[in-house]
Every structure is written in structure tokens, then in C-alpha cells.
Amino acid sequence: MSESFRLRAEEALLPSIVALLIALILGDVLILMFGESPAHVYSRMIEGAWGNPYGFAQVLYKTTTLTFAGLGIALALRAGLFNIGAEGQLAAGAFGAAIVGISLPAGTPGLVAVPLCLLGAAAGGLLTGGLPGVLKAKFGAHEVIVTIMLNFVVLALLNWLIVERLRTADTLHTPEINAGAVPRLSEFIPAFHGSAANVTFFFAIAAAIWCWWYLFRTPGGYALRATGLQPDAAEYSGIRVGRVWIKAMALGGMLAALGGTNFVLGYKHYYEDGFTGGSGFLAIAVAIVGRNHPFGVVIAAFFFATLSQGGLAIHALVPKQMVEVLQGIVILAMAAAVPEVQRALRSARKVVAA
Amino acid sequence: MNPFDFITQTLRIAVPYLFAASGGLVAERAGIVSLTLEGFMLSGAFSATLGSYYSGSAVIGVLAGAAGGLLFGLLHGIATVRFRADQVVSGIAVNLLVIGLTQVILMLLFDSSSNSPRVEGFQAGLSGFGDPLVWMGLASVPVVAFLLYRTPFGLRIQAAGEHPEAAASVGINVRFVRYVAVAISGVLAGLGGVYLALDQHQFTNNMTAGRGFIAIAAVIFGRWNPWLAGGACLLFATAETLQIQLQGVGGIPSQFIGMIPYVLTIVALAGLMGRAVAPAALGRAED
């Protein structure tokens, strides 16, 4: 292993490890406040998430949504843009997939219907991710604020569409799709019976591989990363930064939006108001803990999915909202640890060099 | 509905926005991004409920609520100023932390996952104007305007947000100024939450319901100017009052009226109504 690789790995992994350790310690304190033993709670958590096929399959289900949304955020962050709009993009994607699935005639073969539904989802993401990109490139409108505000607009718009136009009686969801449903994993692995985990999990893995390839093996990905590192230098070297921004936001929006298919095509087969339940915000943590690397995102998504599934198993001992507290601590510790670790490593290197 | 009731209802709805937007304005003008307002408000609401519950006094509740906002203001300050954490990320973490912590502590103290017991508030009267917090909320805008434009410290805040290097070169302690600014924003936004909790005489889960983000919208739509931001709060509150009054009458769907603050903010940022320009060093750590 070369020296530079080791240094890069240290810089990439150390903040995540430090942040997780801090969260673990503060989590212990919280658990003790409830008069429970941390070891007992954590082992119950792991047990609930990984100790049985159903729990594990649910972890995979949650990993799927978080991976898509995390990739959407990470890709934009590589271009130096903070996409806080994943919550709205997830919803828009799910809605787009549902509209296509409802419009198709029943009996449309899956090989036709599924790609069309995925396109429907991507179209939702293109709109909700692309708009902030265009506003940033053309008018300099800050993407953080625009994507946050757009979340509220998209969710209100979809709520209106559901309530006034598309609702099935006494519910807040659309009719079921006629075509485009994908099989659950339990059809291949009977032990997963009852879990919502479905084939879109593999789509998420494929999306992560595609992201890696795009970012690190194509000229477009190079331009995107160069823009993220130093937009002025990128512009000077002939990269059209505005276009890169629009492309990064549009791609990020589409990736996040595809996460909505996990729910619509794989689980419920309809769009339901409020199904995202904060996944789009948790995905920000996924992207950050995954250090904006596509494979890091998959691992971080799996980690946060485990926390959330494990949280259900410990509800009898401590409130399951403790998981939200832990997530908050991880993000905060991560944000504080990144610059700190970088500085520490840099000064350590100077000492070594001297 | 007579105009007097319409105006008083609008002002009452505006109170939490005015508090939070004034607070957000102080932090943003010092260069600290205020996506934390939602968390500060919720923390203020929760702490006020605890203070009032255990003391039986609404005044103690107000003090406790201000302290709750202050606590998370300082946490955000330590993360972003001392540790130079990304301000957007820290803000999201603070919000998540407060939502989780309030629910966990609610469970711990009251064995409830949704709301606290009834607590003492102020005698608000029919119009709501017996509540001193209403007056404080209305006063927060001129107070912040005075602080920013008429005091030496206000000028330091502006310097820290526009050009921290230049500020430091003339002897201003930028870190200290930013700590104080984010602490002020925690207290003010916290008071916005206090008003909500004491007005409803209890804490309910996530009771701020996105008001902190409307307050940020008001700051931006008001182009980081306290008077304009205060005006934006009143505008958004008017839209909300209309939404409540017009419900069931038909016409514009309520969802569309609810979108007004967000759409106006996007329009303002896109420069379609004159450019909204942020403080130059907003979001940048001081070196």
C-alpha cells in the first residue's frame, strides 16, 4: 500500500470513525439515563436489525431509499452544491412513477413498464433538481435555500393533487398502478417473507456503481469534481461551470427521485402523501458520513438503515426517537470532525516531513 | 370577520415569525447560516413548557425557554465557529437533535410520546394582547434594527458578516462577535417557540411545524434588512390568516396559499424582484 493511499484513506475514514465513536459514547449516556444497560440495548438493536431474516430484509429496504437519495446529494456535493431537496425529489419521483404506472394499461409487460416508470420517476427528479440548478447557474440563487423552499412547494403541490384530483376514497394516496410493479426479494428468498425489500435494491447498487464510474472514469465526472473543488479554476481551464452545476443538480435530483420507486414499484404500488417521512433529510447524513463517495454512500445508507430498523427493536427499553438523537449527534460530530481531522493530519504530516 | 379581529389574528400569527426572523437576521448578518431557527424555536417551546410546569409560573417559563434557545444557539456556535463545521450541516444536525431530544425527554418525564401536561401561560385576553410575548415579538424588529444600525456592536456584527478578515485587521474579535450573534439568535428564536407553547398551554411534538423555515424565508425575502424582514413576516402571516378565514369558502386551494412564502423566497433569490444579496461572508468560517 502506497504512502499517499494510506494518507488519503486516513483522511477519508478518520472523521467518520471519530464521529461514530462520539455518538456511541453520548448514546451510552442517554441509555443510562433510562436506567438500561448500553450493551443490552445495542445488542438488542443489532439483533433486531441483523439477527433475523425479516429484520435484515427491512434493513435492505431502507438502505435502498437512503442509497438513492444519498447518491443524489453526494453527486451534487461533488460539484460543490448542497442539495437539501432530496425529500421533495423522493416524493416527486414516487409520484412520477405512480402516474406512469396508473396510465399504463394493465398487463403491460414488466420489461416495458418498469423502465417507463423509472423514467417517470426520473422526470420528477429532473424538474425538482434541475430548477434549483438553473436558478443557481443563471441567477446565482443559493441552491440550499432554493431546494429547502422547493421541498415545501413540491409537497404542498402533491398534497393538493392527491386531495383534489387523484385520491381514492378516505385515503391520502393515489389509485394503484396497473403495471410496473417489481418483485419482492421474498419471492427468491422465502425467509424474507413479509418484508418490503424488493428488486429496486439492486437498482440502487447499480446506481452507485454508475455514479462511481461517472465521477471517476469520465470527462464529465472530472469536470464535475473540478468544479466542486475550485469553480474559478475550473472555469479558467475551460469548464463551463454553469452547465456543470445544472447537470449536477439535475442528475442528483433524478438519482434521489429514483429512490421513490422503492416505495411505489416495490412496496405499496401507489403514491401516498407523506411516505418519505424524513428519509430525504437523513440522506444528507448518509452522504456526509459516506464522504460523498458512491460506495461510502451505500455503506452509510446500510448503517443508518440498521440504526432505524434496530430502533424499532429497542422501543420497549428506550424511546425509539433516541435513534434520531444519535443521528443528530453523528451529523454534528461529523461536521465538526472533518475540518479538525484534516488539520490534525496536516500538521502531523508537517512534523513527519521536517 | 371584522377588520379588528383580522388584524389581531394576523399579528398573533406573526409573533413567532417576528421573533425567529429577528434572531435569524442577527446571526446571518454576522455570517452564520440560520437553518437552525426551527430547532431553536422547538427547544425554546420545550424548555418553556418544562420551566412553567415545574415552577407554575409563566415568567419562569419564558426564562427557561430563552435558556433553551441559548443552549442550542451556543452548540451551533461552538460547532461552526470553534470547529469550523459546515454551517448548513450543523444546522440540519441541530434541528434533528432537538426534534429527537424533545421527544425522548417528553417520554422520560411525562411518559408521553405526543404532548406535555397543561402548563401555566399568560392571561392573553380575547384579542391575545394581554400576553406580554406578543408585544415583545412586535418589538423584536425595531430592537434588532437598533442593535444592527445604531450600536457599535451592530457594526461589528455587520463587519463580521461582510468581511471578517478586514474586521479582524482592525481589532474586532470576529469569533466572539459571531458567538454573541448566534447566542442572540438562539434566544430570540427560542422566545418565538415560547410564545407558541405558552399560548397553547402545552408542548406538542414538533409543534413549530416548519415556522423556523418560514422565518428564514422572511429574512431572505426581506433582503437581510430587519424592517423588510419584519414586513415579510406580516405578509406571510396575513396570507395564513386569509387561508384560515377562507377555508371552505372555495376559491384558491389552501395548499397554494401555504406555498406563498416559499415561492416568494425563490423568486426573490432568482432576482426577479430586485436582487436579494446575502452578507458576503455568510457560511464561511473565519480564518
mmCIF file of all heavy atoms in Angstrom, chain B residues 148-194:
data_model
loop_
_atom_site.group_PDB
_atom_site.id
_atom_site.type_symbol
_atom_site.label_atom_id
_atom_site.label_comp_id
_atom_site.label_asym_id
_atom_site.label_seq_id
_atom_site.Cartn_x
_atom_site.Cartn_y
_atom_site.Cartn_z
ATOM 1 N N LEU B 148 -28.410 46.602 15.146
ATOM 2 C CA LEU B 148 -27.558 46.455 13.960
ATOM 3 C C LEU B 148 -27.039 47.796 13.449
ATOM 4 O O LEU B 148 -25.885 47.904 13.048
ATOM 5 C CB LEU B 148 -28.331 45.769 12.845
ATOM 6 C CG LEU B 148 -28.387 44.248 12.868
ATOM 7 C CD1 LEU B 148 -29.236 43.738 11.717
ATOM 8 C CD2 LEU B 148 -26.989 43.645 12.781
ATOM 9 N N TYR B 149 -27.922 48.808 13.440
ATOM 10 C CA TYR B 149 -27.567 50.041 12.740
ATOM 11 C C TYR B 149 -27.137 51.178 13.656
ATOM 12 O O TYR B 149 -26.580 52.165 13.198
ATOM 13 C CB TYR B 149 -28.741 50.513 11.880
ATOM 14 C CG TYR B 149 -29.123 49.516 10.808
ATOM 15 C CD1 TYR B 149 -30.437 49.104 10.643
ATOM 16 C CD2 TYR B 149 -28.152 48.989 9.957
ATOM 17 C CE1 TYR B 149 -30.785 48.196 9.660
ATOM 18 C CE2 TYR B 149 -28.486 48.075 8.968
ATOM 19 C CZ TYR B 149 -29.806 47.675 8.823
ATOM 20 O OH TYR B 149 -30.127 46.784 7.860
ATOM 21 N N ARG B 150 -27.444 51.072 14.972
ATOM 22 C CA ARG B 150 -27.207 52.232 15.828
ATOM 23 C C ARG B 150 -26.228 51.952 16.963
ATOM 24 O O ARG B 150 -26.019 52.801 17.806
ATOM 25 C CB ARG B 150 -28.528 52.725 16.436
ATOM 26 C CG ARG B 150 -29.517 53.273 15.444
ATOM 27 C CD ARG B 150 -29.236 54.742 15.125
ATOM 28 N NE ARG B 150 -30.200 55.261 14.173
ATOM 29 C CZ ARG B 150 -30.021 55.196 12.847
ATOM 30 N NH1 ARG B 150 -28.925 54.663 12.339
ATOM 31 N NH2 ARG B 150 -30.938 55.687 12.034
ATOM 32 N N THR B 151 -25.691 50.726 17.051
ATOM 33 C CA THR B 151 -24.753 50.450 18.140
ATOM 34 C C THR B 151 -23.413 50.006 17.553
ATOM 35 O O THR B 151 -23.371 49.440 16.451
ATOM 36 C CB THR B 151 -25.256 49.321 19.066
ATOM 37 O OG1 THR B 151 -25.264 48.093 18.327
ATOM 38 C CG2 THR B 151 -26.657 49.605 19.590
ATOM 39 N N PRO B 152 -22.338 50.248 18.277
ATOM 40 C CA PRO B 152 -21.012 49.804 17.806
ATOM 41 C C PRO B 152 -20.985 48.287 17.599
ATOM 42 O O PRO B 152 -20.408 47.801 16.621
ATOM 43 C CB PRO B 152 -20.076 50.209 18.940
ATOM 44 C CG PRO B 152 -20.802 51.262 19.705
ATOM 45 C CD PRO B 152 -22.265 51.005 19.537
ATOM 46 N N PHE B 153 -21.664 47.565 18.500
ATOM 47 C CA PHE B 153 -21.614 46.113 18.360
ATOM 48 C C PHE B 153 -22.323 45.669 17.076
ATOM 49 O O PHE B 153 -21.911 44.719 16.426
ATOM 50 C CB PHE B 153 -22.238 45.429 19.583
ATOM 51 C CG PHE B 153 -21.983 43.953 19.601
ATOM 52 C CD1 PHE B 153 -20.726 43.456 19.921
ATOM 53 C CD2 PHE B 153 -22.981 43.054 19.250
ATOM 54 C CE1 PHE B 153 -20.469 42.110 19.906
ATOM 55 C CE2 PHE B 153 -22.736 41.688 19.237
ATOM 56 C CZ PHE B 153 -21.470 41.221 19.562
ATOM 57 N N GLY B 154 -23.408 46.370 16.730
ATOM 58 C CA GLY B 154 -24.120 46.053 15.494
ATOM 59 C C GLY B 154 -23.232 46.222 14.277
ATOM 60 O O GLY B 154 -23.263 45.413 13.339
ATOM 61 N N LEU B 155 -22.413 47.272 14.310
ATOM 62 C CA LEU B 155 -21.489 47.484 13.192
ATOM 63 C C LEU B 155 -20.453 46.360 13.148
ATOM 64 O O LEU B 155 -20.053 45.916 12.067
ATOM 65 C CB LEU B 155 -20.796 48.843 13.326
ATOM 66 C CG LEU B 155 -21.755 50.039 13.232
ATOM 67 C CD1 LEU B 155 -21.017 51.345 13.446
ATOM 68 C CD2 LEU B 155 -22.458 50.042 11.871
ATOM 69 N N ARG B 156 -20.033 45.888 14.331
ATOM 70 C CA ARG B 156 -19.086 44.761 14.349
ATOM 71 C C ARG B 156 -19.731 43.517 13.762
ATOM 72 O O ARG B 156 -19.086 42.749 13.045
ATOM 73 C CB ARG B 156 -18.633 44.488 15.779
ATOM 74 C CG ARG B 156 -17.723 45.571 16.289
ATOM 75 C CD ARG B 156 -16.955 45.147 17.524
ATOM 76 N NE ARG B 156 -16.376 46.355 18.104
ATOM 77 C CZ ARG B 156 -16.720 46.850 19.286
ATOM 78 N NH1 ARG B 156 -17.579 46.203 20.054
ATOM 79 N NH2 ARG B 156 -16.191 47.943 19.721
ATOM 80 N N ILE B 157 -21.027 43.318 14.116
ATOM 81 C CA ILE B 157 -21.743 42.164 13.550
ATOM 82 C C ILE B 157 -21.720 42.245 12.022
ATOM 83 O O ILE B 157 -21.390 41.278 11.324
ATOM 84 C CB ILE B 157 -23.202 42.121 14.061
ATOM 85 C CG1 ILE B 157 -23.233 41.716 15.533
ATOM 86 C CG2 ILE B 157 -24.047 41.169 13.225
ATOM 87 C CD1 ILE B 157 -24.622 41.673 16.135
ATOM 88 N N GLN B 158 -22.048 43.425 11.494
ATOM 89 C CA GLN B 158 -22.083 43.570 10.041
ATOM 90 C C GLN B 158 -20.705 43.341 9.432
ATOM 91 O O GLN B 158 -20.571 42.710 8.380
ATOM 92 C CB GLN B 158 -22.582 44.966 9.677
ATOM 93 C CG GLN B 158 -24.023 45.192 10.062
ATOM 94 C CD GLN B 158 -24.540 46.518 9.527
ATOM 95 O OE1 GLN B 158 -24.390 46.812 8.353
ATOM 96 N NE2 GLN B 158 -25.119 47.318 10.405
ATOM 97 N N ALA B 159 -19.677 43.841 10.107
ATOM 98 C CA ALA B 159 -18.319 43.660 9.596
ATOM 99 C C ALA B 159 -17.944 42.180 9.577
ATOM 100 O O ALA B 159 -17.352 41.684 8.618
ATOM 101 C CB ALA B 159 -17.328 44.445 10.449
ATOM 102 N N ALA B 160 -18.337 41.462 10.640
ATOM 103 C CA ALA B 160 -18.004 40.037 10.725
ATOM 104 C C ALA B 160 -18.696 39.259 9.611
ATOM 105 O O ALA B 160 -18.187 38.245 9.150
ATOM 106 C CB ALA B 160 -18.415 39.479 12.086
ATOM 107 N N GLY B 161 -19.851 39.736 9.178
ATOM 108 C CA GLY B 161 -20.581 39.028 8.138
ATOM 109 C C GLY B 161 -20.187 39.434 6.737
ATOM 110 O O GLY B 161 -20.368 38.665 5.796
ATOM 111 N N GLU B 162 -19.670 40.655 6.591
ATOM 112 C CA GLU B 162 -19.332 41.109 5.245
ATOM 113 C C GLU B 162 -17.875 40.825 4.909
ATOM 114 O O GLU B 162 -17.551 40.401 3.805
ATOM 115 C CB GLU B 162 -19.585 42.626 5.112
ATOM 116 C CG GLU B 162 -21.041 43.024 5.141
ATOM 117 C CD GLU B 162 -21.847 42.478 3.966
ATOM 118 O OE1 GLU B 162 -21.247 42.137 2.928
ATOM 119 O OE2 GLU B 162 -23.080 42.375 4.100
ATOM 120 N N HIS B 163 -16.990 41.088 5.839
ATOM 121 C CA HIS B 163 -15.565 40.944 5.531
ATOM 122 C C HIS B 163 -14.798 40.644 6.816
ATOM 123 O O HIS B 163 -14.174 41.538 7.408
ATOM 124 C CB HIS B 163 -15.057 42.249 4.893
ATOM 125 C CG HIS B 163 -13.849 42.015 4.029
ATOM 126 N ND1 HIS B 163 -12.796 41.253 4.436
ATOM 127 C CD2 HIS B 163 -13.553 42.426 2.776
ATOM 128 C CE1 HIS B 163 -11.890 41.214 3.469
ATOM 129 N NE2 HIS B 163 -12.333 41.910 2.444
ATOM 130 N N PRO B 164 -14.834 39.361 7.242
ATOM 131 C CA PRO B 164 -14.228 39.026 8.538
ATOM 132 C C PRO B 164 -12.739 39.353 8.605
ATOM 133 O O PRO B 164 -12.250 39.774 9.659
ATOM 134 C CB PRO B 164 -14.478 37.514 8.674
ATOM 135 C CG PRO B 164 -15.013 37.046 7.370
ATOM 136 C CD PRO B 164 -15.525 38.239 6.627
ATOM 137 N N GLU B 165 -12.032 39.194 7.481
ATOM 138 C CA GLU B 165 -10.583 39.461 7.514
ATOM 139 C C GLU B 165 -10.331 40.937 7.810
ATOM 140 O O GLU B 165 -9.490 41.286 8.649
ATOM 141 C CB GLU B 165 -9.926 39.071 6.183
ATOM 142 C CG GLU B 165 -9.958 37.578 5.873
ATOM 143 C CD GLU B 165 -11.298 37.120 5.291
ATOM 144 O OE1 GLU B 165 -12.153 37.995 4.988
ATOM 145 O OE2 GLU B 165 -11.505 35.905 5.159
ATOM 146 N N ALA B 166 -11.079 41.792 7.113
ATOM 147 C CA ALA B 166 -10.911 43.236 7.350
ATOM 148 C C ALA B 166 -11.301 43.583 8.779
ATOM 149 O O ALA B 166 -10.631 44.385 9.442
ATOM 150 C CB ALA B 166 -11.773 44.020 6.354
ATOM 151 N N ALA B 167 -12.395 42.948 9.267
ATOM 152 C CA ALA B 167 -12.833 43.211 10.636
ATOM 153 C C ALA B 167 -11.736 42.829 11.619
ATOM 154 O O ALA B 167 -11.424 43.570 12.550
ATOM 155 C CB ALA B 167 -14.119 42.438 10.932
ATOM 156 N N ALA B 168 -11.138 41.648 11.391
ATOM 157 C CA ALA B 168 -10.082 41.192 12.300
ATOM 158 C C ALA B 168 -8.893 42.131 12.252
ATOM 159 O O ALA B 168 -8.250 42.400 13.277
ATOM 160 C CB ALA B 168 -9.664 39.772 11.928
ATOM 161 N N SER B 169 -8.592 42.684 11.060
ATOM 162 C CA SER B 169 -7.404 43.527 10.921
ATOM 163 C C SER B 169 -7.551 44.843 11.679
ATOM 164 O O SER B 169 -6.564 45.488 11.976
ATOM 165 C CB SER B 169 -7.116 43.795 9.441
ATOM 166 O OG SER B 169 -8.050 44.725 8.934
ATOM 167 N N VAL B 170 -8.805 45.270 11.964
ATOM 168 C CA VAL B 170 -8.952 46.483 12.768
ATOM 169 C C VAL B 170 -9.255 46.156 14.227
ATOM 170 O O VAL B 170 -9.766 46.978 14.972
ATOM 171 C CB VAL B 170 -10.036 47.435 12.206
ATOM 172 C CG1 VAL B 170 -9.616 47.949 10.840
ATOM 173 C CG2 VAL B 170 -11.385 46.738 12.124
ATOM 174 N N GLY B 171 -8.960 44.894 14.607
ATOM 175 C CA GLY B 171 -9.024 44.558 16.025
ATOM 176 C C GLY B 171 -10.347 44.000 16.510
ATOM 177 O O GLY B 171 -10.549 43.850 17.708
ATOM 178 N N ILE B 172 -11.266 43.710 15.595
ATOM 179 C CA ILE B 172 -12.528 43.107 16.024
ATOM 180 C C ILE B 172 -12.318 41.605 16.226
ATOM 181 O O ILE B 172 -11.721 40.935 15.378
ATOM 182 C CB ILE B 172 -13.634 43.348 14.968
ATOM 183 C CG1 ILE B 172 -13.962 44.837 14.866
ATOM 184 C CG2 ILE B 172 -14.888 42.552 15.315
ATOM 185 C CD1 ILE B 172 -14.914 45.182 13.737
ATOM 186 N N ASN B 173 -12.793 41.113 17.361
ATOM 187 C CA ASN B 173 -12.698 39.683 17.634
ATOM 188 C C ASN B 173 -13.878 38.987 16.953
ATOM 189 O O ASN B 173 -14.964 38.868 17.504
ATOM 190 C CB ASN B 173 -12.726 39.447 19.149
ATOM 191 C CG ASN B 173 -12.514 37.990 19.497
ATOM 192 O OD1 ASN B 173 -12.681 37.107 18.656
ATOM 193 N ND2 ASN B 173 -12.117 37.733 20.735
ATOM 194 N N VAL B 174 -13.623 38.539 15.704
ATOM 195 C CA VAL B 174 -14.718 38.025 14.872
ATOM 196 C C VAL B 174 -15.389 36.819 15.516
ATOM 197 O O VAL B 174 -16.611 36.688 15.513
ATOM 198 C CB VAL B 174 -14.198 37.681 13.460
ATOM 199 C CG1 VAL B 174 -15.280 36.986 12.648
ATOM 200 C CG2 VAL B 174 -13.741 38.938 12.751
ATOM 201 N N ARG B 175 -14.583 35.932 16.092
ATOM 202 C CA ARG B 175 -15.152 34.748 16.725
ATOM 203 C C ARG B 175 -16.117 35.126 17.838
ATOM 204 O O ARG B 175 -17.224 34.600 17.921
ATOM 205 C CB ARG B 175 -14.036 33.876 17.307
ATOM 206 C CG ARG B 175 -13.225 33.205 16.240
ATOM 207 C CD ARG B 175 -12.258 32.220 16.859
ATOM 208 N NE ARG B 175 -11.779 31.335 15.818
ATOM 209 C CZ ARG B 175 -11.346 30.091 16.026
ATOM 210 N NH1 ARG B 175 -11.350 29.608 17.259
ATOM 211 N NH2 ARG B 175 -10.930 29.356 15.044
ATOM 212 N N PHE B 176 -15.673 36.068 18.685
ATOM 213 C CA PHE B 176 -16.515 36.492 19.801
ATOM 214 C C PHE B 176 -17.816 37.103 19.290
ATOM 215 O O PHE B 176 -18.901 36.768 19.752
ATOM 216 C CB PHE B 176 -15.755 37.502 20.678
ATOM 217 C CG PHE B 176 -16.581 38.095 21.775
ATOM 218 C CD1 PHE B 176 -16.883 37.358 22.916
ATOM 219 C CD2 PHE B 176 -17.086 39.394 21.668
ATOM 220 C CE1 PHE B 176 -17.662 37.887 23.927
ATOM 221 C CE2 PHE B 176 -17.865 39.944 22.676
ATOM 222 C CZ PHE B 176 -18.155 39.187 23.804
ATOM 223 N N VAL B 177 -17.695 37.958 18.272
ATOM 224 C CA VAL B 177 -18.881 38.608 17.710
ATOM 225 C C VAL B 177 -19.858 37.554 17.179
ATOM 226 O O VAL B 177 -21.065 37.626 17.402
ATOM 227 C CB VAL B 177 -18.472 39.585 16.587
ATOM 228 C CG1 VAL B 177 -19.706 40.056 15.811
ATOM 229 C CG2 VAL B 177 -17.731 40.769 17.163
ATOM 230 N N ARG B 178 -19.324 36.555 16.506
ATOM 231 C CA ARG B 178 -20.199 35.522 15.941
ATOM 232 C C ARG B 178 -20.847 34.681 17.036
ATOM 233 O O ARG B 178 -22.015 34.315 16.926
ATOM 234 C CB ARG B 178 -19.407 34.642 14.972
ATOM 235 C CG ARG B 178 -19.101 35.365 13.676
ATOM 236 C CD ARG B 178 -18.490 34.450 12.641
ATOM 237 N NE ARG B 178 -18.577 35.062 11.321
ATOM 238 C CZ ARG B 178 -18.088 34.499 10.230
ATOM 239 N NH1 ARG B 178 -17.512 33.323 10.282
ATOM 240 N NH2 ARG B 178 -18.205 35.114 9.065
ATOM 241 N N TYR B 179 -20.080 34.377 18.093
ATOM 242 C CA TYR B 179 -20.682 33.646 19.225
ATOM 243 C C TYR B 179 -21.868 34.419 19.785
ATOM 244 O O TYR B 179 -22.942 33.878 20.014
ATOM 245 C CB TYR B 179 -19.652 33.434 20.341
ATOM 246 C CG TYR B 179 -18.872 32.144 20.251
ATOM 247 C CD1 TYR B 179 -17.493 32.143 20.150
ATOM 248 C CD2 TYR B 179 -19.533 30.918 20.283
ATOM 249 C CE1 TYR B 179 -16.781 30.961 20.062
ATOM 250 C CE2 TYR B 179 -18.825 29.735 20.204
ATOM 251 C CZ TYR B 179 -17.448 29.760 20.085
ATOM 252 O OH TYR B 179 -16.753 28.586 20.000
ATOM 253 N N VAL B 180 -21.643 35.723 20.040
ATOM 254 C CA VAL B 180 -22.713 36.523 20.637
ATOM 255 C C VAL B 180 -23.911 36.579 19.688
ATOM 256 O O VAL B 180 -25.065 36.444 20.101
ATOM 257 C CB VAL B 180 -22.207 37.947 20.965
ATOM 258 C CG1 VAL B 180 -23.355 38.826 21.443
ATOM 259 C CG2 VAL B 180 -21.110 37.877 22.024
ATOM 260 N N ALA B 181 -23.641 36.750 18.391
ATOM 261 C CA ALA B 181 -24.735 36.865 17.428
ATOM 262 C C ALA B 181 -25.567 35.588 17.389
ATOM 263 O O ALA B 181 -26.798 35.625 17.374
ATOM 264 C CB ALA B 181 -24.170 37.182 16.042
ATOM 265 N N VAL B 182 -24.893 34.443 17.373
ATOM 266 C CA VAL B 182 -25.643 33.189 17.279
ATOM 267 C C VAL B 182 -26.362 32.927 18.608
ATOM 268 O O VAL B 182 -27.456 32.355 18.622
ATOM 269 C CB VAL B 182 -24.729 32.027 16.833
ATOM 270 C CG1 VAL B 182 -23.877 31.509 17.942
ATOM 271 C CG2 VAL B 182 -25.549 30.909 16.215
ATOM 272 N N ALA B 183 -25.791 33.408 19.721
ATOM 273 C CA ALA B 183 -26.482 33.275 21.009
ATOM 274 C C ALA B 183 -27.755 34.127 21.011
ATOM 275 O O ALA B 183 -28.820 33.683 21.446
ATOM 276 C CB ALA B 183 -25.545 33.705 22.141
ATOM 277 N N ILE B 184 -27.638 35.363 20.503
ATOM 278 C CA ILE B 184 -28.821 36.236 20.424
ATOM 279 C C ILE B 184 -29.893 35.575 19.555
ATOM 280 O O ILE B 184 -31.080 35.570 19.891
ATOM 281 C CB ILE B 184 -28.438 37.620 19.835
ATOM 282 C CG1 ILE B 184 -27.539 38.388 20.805
ATOM 283 C CG2 ILE B 184 -29.686 38.439 19.518
ATOM 284 C CD1 ILE B 184 -26.984 39.687 20.239
ATOM 285 N N SER B 185 -29.462 34.987 18.439
ATOM 286 C CA SER B 185 -30.453 34.373 17.553
ATOM 287 C C SER B 185 -31.115 33.185 18.236
ATOM 288 O O SER B 185 -32.317 32.953 18.065
ATOM 289 C CB SER B 185 -29.809 33.975 16.224
ATOM 290 O OG SER B 185 -29.318 32.663 16.255
ATOM 291 N N GLY B 186 -30.348 32.430 19.050
ATOM 292 C CA GLY B 186 -30.944 31.322 19.785
ATOM 293 C C GLY B 186 -32.007 31.801 20.765
ATOM 294 O O GLY B 186 -33.099 31.242 20.839
ATOM 295 N N VAL B 187 -31.681 32.877 21.493
ATOM 296 C CA VAL B 187 -32.632 33.394 22.483
ATOM 297 C C VAL B 187 -33.893 33.914 21.794
ATOM 298 O O VAL B 187 -35.026 33.592 22.187
ATOM 299 C CB VAL B 187 -31.973 34.515 23.320
ATOM 300 C CG1 VAL B 187 -33.014 35.238 24.155
ATOM 301 C CG2 VAL B 187 -30.878 33.929 24.203
ATOM 302 N N LEU B 188 -33.718 34.723 20.741
ATOM 303 C CA LEU B 188 -34.884 35.327 20.080
ATOM 304 C C LEU B 188 -35.770 34.249 19.441
ATOM 305 O O LEU B 188 -36.989 34.241 19.631
ATOM 306 C CB LEU B 188 -34.430 36.332 19.025
ATOM 307 C CG LEU B 188 -34.000 37.697 19.566
ATOM 308 C CD1 LEU B 188 -33.413 38.553 18.451
ATOM 309 C CD2 LEU B 188 -35.179 38.408 20.206
ATOM 310 N N ALA B 189 -35.150 33.334 18.682
ATOM 311 C CA ALA B 189 -35.952 32.283 18.061
ATOM 312 C C ALA B 189 -36.589 31.413 19.143
ATOM 313 O O ALA B 189 -37.748 30.996 19.018
ATOM 314 C CB ALA B 189 -35.083 31.437 17.126
ATOM 315 N N GLY B 190 -35.828 31.170 20.224
ATOM 316 C CA GLY B 190 -36.376 30.407 21.339
ATOM 317 C C GLY B 190 -37.639 31.060 21.886
ATOM 318 O O GLY B 190 -38.633 30.391 22.163
ATOM 319 N N LEU B 191 -37.624 32.404 21.999
ATOM 320 C CA LEU B 191 -38.806 33.106 22.510
ATOM 321 C C LEU B 191 -40.004 32.916 21.576
ATOM 322 O O LEU B 191 -41.151 32.866 22.024
ATOM 323 C CB LEU B 191 -38.492 34.590 22.693
ATOM 324 C CG LEU B 191 -37.586 34.927 23.884
ATOM 325 C CD1 LEU B 191 -37.186 36.399 23.864
ATOM 326 C CD2 LEU B 191 -38.286 34.585 25.196
ATOM 327 N N GLY B 192 -39.727 32.816 20.275
ATOM 328 C CA GLY B 192 -40.807 32.521 19.335
ATOM 329 C C GLY B 192 -41.475 31.208 19.671
ATOM 330 O O GLY B 192 -42.707 31.079 19.637
ATOM 331 N N GLY B 193 -40.653 30.221 20.022
ATOM 332 C CA GLY B 193 -41.202 28.932 20.423
ATOM 333 C C GLY B 193 -41.926 29.024 21.762
ATOM 334 O O GLY B 193 -42.970 28.394 21.961
ATOM 335 N N VAL B 194 -41.374 29.840 22.671
ATOM 336 C CA VAL B 194 -42.009 30.030 23.980
ATOM 337 C C VAL B 194 -43.442 30.530 23.789
ATOM 338 O O VAL B 194 -44.384 30.041 24.417
ATOM 339 C CB VAL B 194 -41.213 31.057 24.835
ATOM 340 C CG1 VAL B 194 -41.983 31.400 26.092
ATOM 341 C CG2 VAL B 194 -39.836 30.515 25.164
#
